Amino acid sequence: MADEDLWRVLRGIADMPYGAGQIAALEQLLRRVDAADDRHLAFVTRMQATTGYVYGGEPAKSFVTFSWCLSEFDRDPQPYHQRHLHQLLWHFKYMVSGLLKFPEVPLDRTYAVLDDMEQRYRAGGHSLQPVHKHRFRIADHVGDTEAAAHWYRLWQTTPRDELSDCAGCDPTSQVGYLADTGRDAEAVTLAEPVLAGRLTCTEQPQAILTALLLPYLRTGRGESARDAHREAYRRLRGNLADLWDIGDHIEFCTLTGNEARAVELVERHLDWLDRPPSPAAAMHFAATAAAALRQAGQVGAPTVYRRAAEGRPAGEVPALALADELAETATALATRFDARNGSAHQSEWIARRFALRASGEHLPLSASVRRRPAGGPSIPHDPGASPAAGRARAGAGDEKAVTLPADAGPDELLTLAEESWGRHDRATFRAALAACDDRFGTDDLPPRTVAHRLALRAAERGDEDDIAGAIEMNRAALSRYREAAEEVPAQVVAGRLGVLLTRSDDDAEEGLALVRAAAEVLDRLGDARQRAAGHDRVALALLHRERWADALAALDRAPADAGGDRHLAARIALHRAHLLEQSDRVDEARAAADEARRIGRELGVGELVTAGCLTYVRTVDDPADAVAACDEALGVAPAAAELPVRVARARALLSAGRAADAVDDFVEAVTLCVERGAEGDAFLRWELANAYRIVGRLGEAAEVAEEAVLGLDRLGAQAEADRCRHLLAGVYAGLGEIDPALAILERLADNLDGPDNLPHRAQVLEEAGGILYDADRDAVAAERFAAAATAYRLAGLPLDELRARRREAYAWFWSDDRPAAVRAIELVDGLVAALAGQPEQPPPVTYELAMAAEAGARVLTGEDRPDEALARLAGVPDRLRSIEAFGEAAQVEVLTGELLLRLDRPAEAEPLLRRVLGGLPADSRPVRQTAWLLARALDLLDRPEEAAALRAEHDLDQDD
């Protein structure tokens, strides 16, 4: 590779984001540079590598590159060294800070580098302000409070110069010192003008916002603290070099009572301890994480997901056990630092981290959880379940006071319980059963009474989702009824048992046989209500086996009025609605659901109304009707049903174009999931993130989507996690956080490496190219577009391939790699020839063929081939207008006018450009360009007065 090519590669690497990717590229380039034996290039590359290592999370490697550059600078000074002297002197600050973070580096070595820094600053006539600052940092690190105060005063009183840290970083260190010495109000006052100004440093504003977390909190500025946490953490979360600051955010979450969020942050960054930027950062993170996990463990001893590392599989780790492990890590590192420093300061400092606990009023931080969860950790979600799946228990608030007859016997109490269960009166059901047990216990009861109690015990187990227990109790009850020769109640229990058995593939045949036989017996021996219930149970069993038509036929055999039992009639209507919905008979399903709602209202049973409303919502077309149904359900829903109602309402609001209102319901749904240990919070966070995105609250969207990705990864739901990552990439791009967006898209492209995923892989690569193109990183954008085009070709999508190749050509053109642009256009021409031969061209094909012609013309214009370029544009504007692409048609005509002027044909260009200018909206971007070209045409036509008037009208300079 020629030296010029190596310089070009270095310039490209400088545009890369800090991190592992840039470091790998730099190290690969260094090997090539050393082989090329170019001292200048070797020096500049190592200077770049020093910065890359520091900000990319591998500062230990910067010691080597800095030492090489300094030695080269001193050994054999060259003219190019002077151009980099300022940067070399700046790097001394990196070295002093970095050496301090490694306990294996003797303190004398750090002082020696600092002394060298001072000597060189003095020799160059520079201010010693940065030197004093770094002497303060060493004193502060070893716990020498008097020396720290001395150097702090000198640092603050010495004039700044061009080698001083930026207007954000110097105050950040000041804020930290003021906060550590109990001067929080001063810290906040100092930071206010800094935050009000313009901060362009790589480390800002996230560093100063992080330093302000505790001063804000301790001075009663909770809202400011929360905003600082959200803004700063979002900027820090993707950079390994910021592991120390992430520990500060974990500690902040712990102090404010946000245990769940603290644990989420620990989980997200825990594997960074396998590759920490420095021992100091590892010590700090481990200490703050240990404190967070200990506090969270007091709530419910949750587990923490730990990603795999070499010699360690991925898996759940008990929080308290992990807290102990991290505490040992932090303590051991602090001991090493103290041995190096000759003080106990770091161990004492770490001990204070361990002792931190939540204090004061809870400060809500999460964008996805409204209240501080009072219960334990959420239960892992089954990736096969629906996003809103999960059953939450009704709370004690659902129970009503129940008065039972004092003289009721066991049969009376059990009959009351049975009737209450059928009426959905769970309070009376439980109270009657409890009274029966309390009053009569295990006394010798008649076999029929024992059987009845067992049957109702089975119902209890079923209410608790203990299906195995319910089956066991029903089998026992059935046996007792048969021993007592009680045929009708035996068949009722047999039918209930059969329904439960059909939930399992292994027991389905037995269940169907039981439920059918029971229905036949009840048809002969039972009353109308028992017959209706028997056929309803057959329908339920068939529903479990997804035999929709057979289940509907079973329901048709039930007496129309359900034997006068309106509660049963409502349940039958609900089952019918569900079966009709599954059979795609939507209108009939909606009518059945409405019938269940009506009966539920008349009976005053919120459980039935809620179930009917939820089914109605799934079958109604108008989202406003769906929202109204959810509103009705929320007014009567038992606590156990609030979660699905909230989810349904949120989705209906989204469909109704009311995303801002949907956010509140999604937040409430996530909160309910977390509070009740219900399943599905990761999926709901994904939906919440999308709602935040729609309403333009991109900061919250990013935060919640990150939480969702973590949860979905934890569940092994890769497809859903990748879809959420795709959403997150778009949110990052909207926030202007280009590098995190690109990192996600790169990961998605890697994940979508199978042949079935080629269209999606191509889409992701094309999106990455678009982001890079918009960021003016055109050469890299061109490579992504080329990769996307290849994937589209392999997927058999020629039109998409053409679009990607066209965009590749544009990117190469604007990167000033004209030969590559020409090669791309040659590929475009081949694709155009294949598509243009089709007998009928739908609008998308017409559009792409026209824009391919425009791209080719633009590239050829850059190659100074205006005749060929103009020939490509013949007829293109008319074709674009035929599909109502008026803006693109005007764009092509402007290019046509430019080419006519290049070919010295102003008489043809002038009317064309005048017509285009007259048709453009006054505030559109092409107006000034078109006006400039038209004025130029008028000049060439010797009409200077008209040209001058046009320039004045559009505020154009003749020399533009």
Side-chain angles (χ1 to χ4, degrees):
M1 183 178 284
D3 285 357
E4 182 53 41
D5 292 331
L6 293 174
W7 280 104
R8 180 173 55 79
V9 171
L10 178 60
R11 289 191 292 270
I13 291 173
D15 289 336
M16 293 176 67
Y18 294 122
Q22 188 196 53
I23 287 173
L26 279 165
E27 291 177 347
Q28 182 182 48
L29 178 61
L30 271 173
R31 290 190 289 272
R32 294 178 176 177
V33 166
D34 288 343
D37 197 26
D38 184 327
R39 290 178 60 196
H40 183 189
L41 182 55
F43 182 86
V44 175
T45 302
R46 283 177 169 82
M47 291 289 288
Q48 177 66 49
T50 299
T51 303
Y53 286 138
V54 169
Y55 287 109
E58 298 187 42
K61 293 181 177 179
S62 72
F63 304 156
V64 177
T65 52
F66 171 79
S67 297
W68 189 97
C69 290
L70 188 64
S71 175
E72 182 75 4
F73 182 91
D74 290 339
R75 181 180 63 83
D76 186 15
Q78 297 293 320
Y80 58 79
H81 285 154
Q82 292 303 313
R83 295 199 295 273
H84 299 283
L85 176 59
H86 178 274
Q87 186 181 12
L88 187 65
L89 293 174
W90 189 279
H91 283 177
F92 268 97
K93 297 187 292 182
Y94 294 164
M95 295 305 106
V96 175
S97 298
L99 292 169
L100 206 58
K101 297 172 183 176
F102 290 81
E104 61 268 32
V105 178
L107 210 54
D108 288 346
R109 175 60 181 152
T110 304
Y111 278 123
V113 174
L114 184 53
D115 291 343
D116 190 14
M117 172 182 171
E118 179 174 348
Q119 185 272 324
R120 292 174 189 265
Y121 276 41
R122 286 185 185 277
H126 301 293
S127 170
L128 295 185
Q129 191 254 16
V131 176
H132 299 328
K133 175 179 179 177
H134 284 78
R135 293 199 184 280
F136 155 76
R137 296 185 72 168
I138 296 175
D140 188 55
H141 170 77
V142 301
D144 188 341
T145 55
E146 290 186 8
H150 167 73
W151 290 114
Y152 181 83
R153 285 193 297 271
L154 279 179
W155 166 30
Q156 296 306 305
T157 55
T158 303
R160 290 170 50 83
D161 71 358
E162 70 278 1
L163 284 172
S164 296
D165 285 346
C166 78
C169 290
D170 252 2
T172 296
S173 301
Q174 293 173 251
V175 166
Y177 180 68
L178 292 171
D180 288 344
T181 53
R183 295 147 68 183
D184 293 316
E186 288 182 58
V188 172
T189 301
L190 173 71
E192 284 174 350
V194 177
L195 290 171
R198 179 178 173 84
L199 298 174
T200 58
C201 169
T202 300
E203 301 177 40
Q204 300 297 345
Q206 61 270 27
I208 194 166
L209 289 173
T210 299
L212 283 166
L213 291 174
L214 297 187
Y216 275 149
L217 192 63
R218 293 191 295 239
T219 55
R221 296 169 171 85
E223 291 290 326
S224 296
R226 179 175 61 195
D227 293 344
H229 164 65
R230 287 181 172 175
E231 170 73 10
Y233 176 70
R234 197 178 74 245
R235 293 172 178 269
L236 296 167
R237 68 193 179 278
N239 191 354
L240 177 64
D242 293 322
L243 182 62
W244 179 292
D245 284 358
I246 286 167
D248 287 338
H249 285 269
I250 292 170
E251 182 172 276
F252 175 72
C253 292
T254 304
L255 285 170
T256 53
N258 289 274
E259 295 90 354
R261 180 161 176 80
V263 172
E264 284 179 358
L265 267 58
V266 171
E267 278 189 330
R268 191 176 299 168
H269 301 286
L270 184 58
D271 63 324
W272 287 13
L273 280 181
D274 297 323
R275 47 191 170 90
S278 69
M283 176 184 70
H284 181 54
F285 178 89
T288 58
L293 293 172
R294 283 173 175 169
Q295 180 158 305
Q298 294 174 1
V299 176
T303 60
V304 175
Y305 180 73
R306 195 178 206 175
R307 295 182 179 88
E310 186 175 350
R312 186 191 69 219
E316 300 285 341
V317 182
L320 293 177
L322 181 58
D324 291 343
E325 177 188 330
L326 294 175
E328 289 178 9
T329 297
T331 301
L333 286 168
T335 301
R336 290 176 59 198
F337 276 109
D338 288 343
R340 191 268 306 269
N341 299 338
S343 72
H345 180 67
Q346 292 300 317
S347 293
E348 293 168 354
W349 186 83
I350 287 299
R352 291 195 294 273
R353 305 277 79 69
F354 292 155
L356 288 172
R357 295 292 183 269
S359 60
E361 186 178 351
H362 172 59
L363 177 66
L365 297 179
S366 175
S368 60
V369 178
R370 191 182 305 281
R371 299 177 292 277
R372 180 177 182 176
S378 59
I379 300 169
H381 176 75
D382 175 2
S386 64
R391 180 180 184 275
R393 306 277 187 264
D398 282 350
E399 298 296 327
K400 63 181 182 181
V402 177
T403 302
L404 301 172
D407 58 350
D411 288 328
E412 292 173 280
L413 289 170
L414 293 177
T415 299
L416 176 60
E418 179 93 41
E419 292 171 350
S420 302
W421 190 55
R423 293 194 304 267
H424 300 264
D425 181 357
R426 295 298 189 264
T428 303
F429 170 69
R430 282 188 278 269
L433 289 180
C436 183
D437 290 344
D438 290 344
R439 294 178 189 178
F440 305 103
T442 58
D443 292 350
D444 290 335
L445 298 173
R448 186 186 190 285
T449 304
V450 173
H452 198 184
R453 181 63 185 95
L454 286 167
L456 294 174
R457 213 172 261 172
E460 276 187 302
R461 296 290 181 88
D463 276 353
E464 296 168 358
D465 275 349
D466 179 6
I467 303 305
I471 288 173
E472 180 184 354
M473 291 295 112
N474 271 317
R475 287 193 189 278
L478 179 58
S479 175
R480 290 300 185 96
Y481 272 130
R482 284 176 174 166
E483 289 173 8
E486 294 282 351
E487 185 64 14
V488 170
Q491 294 306 324
V492 170
V493 171
R496 293 173 183 169
L497 174 60
V499 171
L500 293 171
L501 291 172
T502 54
R503 293 188 173 198
S504 163
D505 290 341
D506 294 338
D507 301 321
E509 289 304 316
E510 178 190 359
L512 285 171
L514 277 171
V515 78
R516 283 172 167 155
E520 290 175 6
V521 172
L522 292 173
D523 265 348
R524 289 187 287 105
L525 303 178
D527 59 26
R529 186 205 170 280
Q530 290 166 335
R531 292 198 302 273
H535 291 297
D536 183 47
R537 285 190 285 269
V538 173
L540 269 178
L542 291 166
L543 183 152
H544 290 159
R545 308 316 302 163
E546 299 185 2
R547 292 166 58 176
W548 320 124
D550 291 342
L552 282 168
L555 281 184
D556 288 341
R557 295 182 61 188
D561 65 347
D565 185 340
R566 292 179 55 70
H567 293 85
L568 176 58
R571 290 194 294 274
I572 289 174
L574 284 171
H575 299 155
R576 187 183 301 278
H578 182 67
L579 290 165
L580 289 166
E581 181 186 0
Q582 294 297 327
S583 303
D584 291 328
R585 295 161 61 178
V586 178
D587 292 340
E588 296 171 78
R590 185 165 57 251
D594 224 12
E595 173 71 5
R597 288 170 70 191
R598 182 184 64 78
I599 298 173
R601 286 191 211 106
E602 293 172 358
L603 294 172
V605 178
E607 184 179 345
L608 292 173
V609 174
T610 302
C613 287
L614 287 172
T615 304
Y616 180 85
V617 165
R618 294 196 302 269
T619 58
V620 73
D621 293 327
D622 187 347
D625 287 346
V627 172
C630 289
D631 289 342
E632 178 184 2
L634 279 178
V636 298
E642 185 182 355
L643 175 56
V645 175
R646 286 288 181 187
V647 174
R649 188 174 189 270
R651 292 170 179 166
L653 287 166
L654 270 185
S655 298
R658 295 169 56 187
D661 295 326
V663 163
D664 290 336
D665 276 301
F666 275 128
V667 169
E668 187 65 24
V670 173
T671 303
L672 289 168
C673 265
V674 174
E675 284 181 338
R676 299 177 180 179
E679 301 172 347
D681 66 287
F683 292 87
L684 287 175
R685 288 176 206 251
W686 175 15
E687 295 189 71
L688 171 58
N690 186 49
Y692 274 131
R693 178 191 64 82
I694 292 170
V695 297
R697 295 166 64 178
L698 297 184
E700 288 108 321
E703 176 186 329
V704 177
E706 288 164 359
E707 295 170 357
V709 166
L710 184 67
L712 294 167
D713 276 342
R714 183 175 184 169
L715 299 170
Q718 181 175 325
E720 292 82 359
D722 283 349
R723 289 171 62 194
C724 190
R725 283 189 178 91
H726 192 236
L727 168 72
L728 183 56
V731 171
Y732 283 160
L735 287 167
E737 297 177 14
I738 303 304
D739 294 325
L742 292 171
I744 287 180
L745 293 174
E746 290 291 334
R747 175 169 180 175
L748 287 176
D750 291 341
N751 288 351
L752 297 167
D753 58 353
D756 294 339
N757 293 323
L758 280 170
H760 303 296
R761 174 180 170 81
Q763 179 188 353
V764 165
L765 289 167
E766 187 176 3
E767 286 181 25
I771 291 172
L772 289 160
Y773 185 80
D774 290 341
D776 292 330
R777 289 153 70 172
D778 298 311
V780 186
E783 293 172 356
R784 296 297 183 278
F785 288 136
T790 300
Y792 281 132
R793 176 174 56 79
L794 294 173
L797 298 169
L799 186 62
D800 297 293
E801 181 187 359
L802 172 59
R803 181 187 62 251
R805 287 295 181 197
R806 167 174 64 82
R807 299 181 78 183
E808 177 195 354
Y810 278 131
W812 286 127
F813 176 80
W814 293 115
S815 74
D816 208 28
D817 190 339
R818 300 302 166 80
V822 171
R823 289 193 297 272
I825 286 300
E826 290 171 353
L827 294 172
V828 166
D829 289 344
L831 292 165
V832 166
L835 287 168
Q838 297 178 357
E840 294 185 10
Q841 291 182 4
V845 174
T846 299
Y847 180 85
E848 284 304 329
L849 292 177
M851 297 312 295
E854 194 267 353
R858 197 168 294 280
V859 169
L860 290 173
T861 300
E863 289 291 288
D864 198 22
R865 294 156 64 181
D867 286 308
E868 297 174 64
L870 185 62
R872 285 177 177 257
L873 299 180
V876 170
D878 290 338
R879 292 199 294 275
L880 287 168
R881 278 190 285 269
S882 73
I883 57 171
E884 300 185 356
F886 300 112
E888 290 85 345
Q891 173 184 316
V892 171
E893 288 184 319
V894 171
L895 178 57
T896 301
E898 178 184 343
L899 288 167
L900 288 169
L901 291 177
R902 285 178 178 242
L903 291 167
D904 198 22
R905 294 158 62 179
E908 297 172 65
E910 186 267 339
L912 172 65
L913 292 169
R914 189 177 295 280
R915 177 168 55 79
V916 172
L917 184 61
L920 289 172
D923 57 348
S924 64
R925 292 179 59 188
V927 165
R928 285 179 61 83
Q929 180 191 7
T930 307
W932 188 91
L933 290 170
L934 178 56
R936 179 62 180 153
L938 292 169
D939 285 335
L940 293 173
L941 292 170
D942 199 20
R943 293 154 63 180
E945 293 179 358
E946 293 179 62
L950 187 65
R951 290 190 176 99
E953 178 185 352
H954 294 279
D955 193 25
L956 298 172
D957 190 317
Q958 187 166 1
D959 296 328
D960 282 350

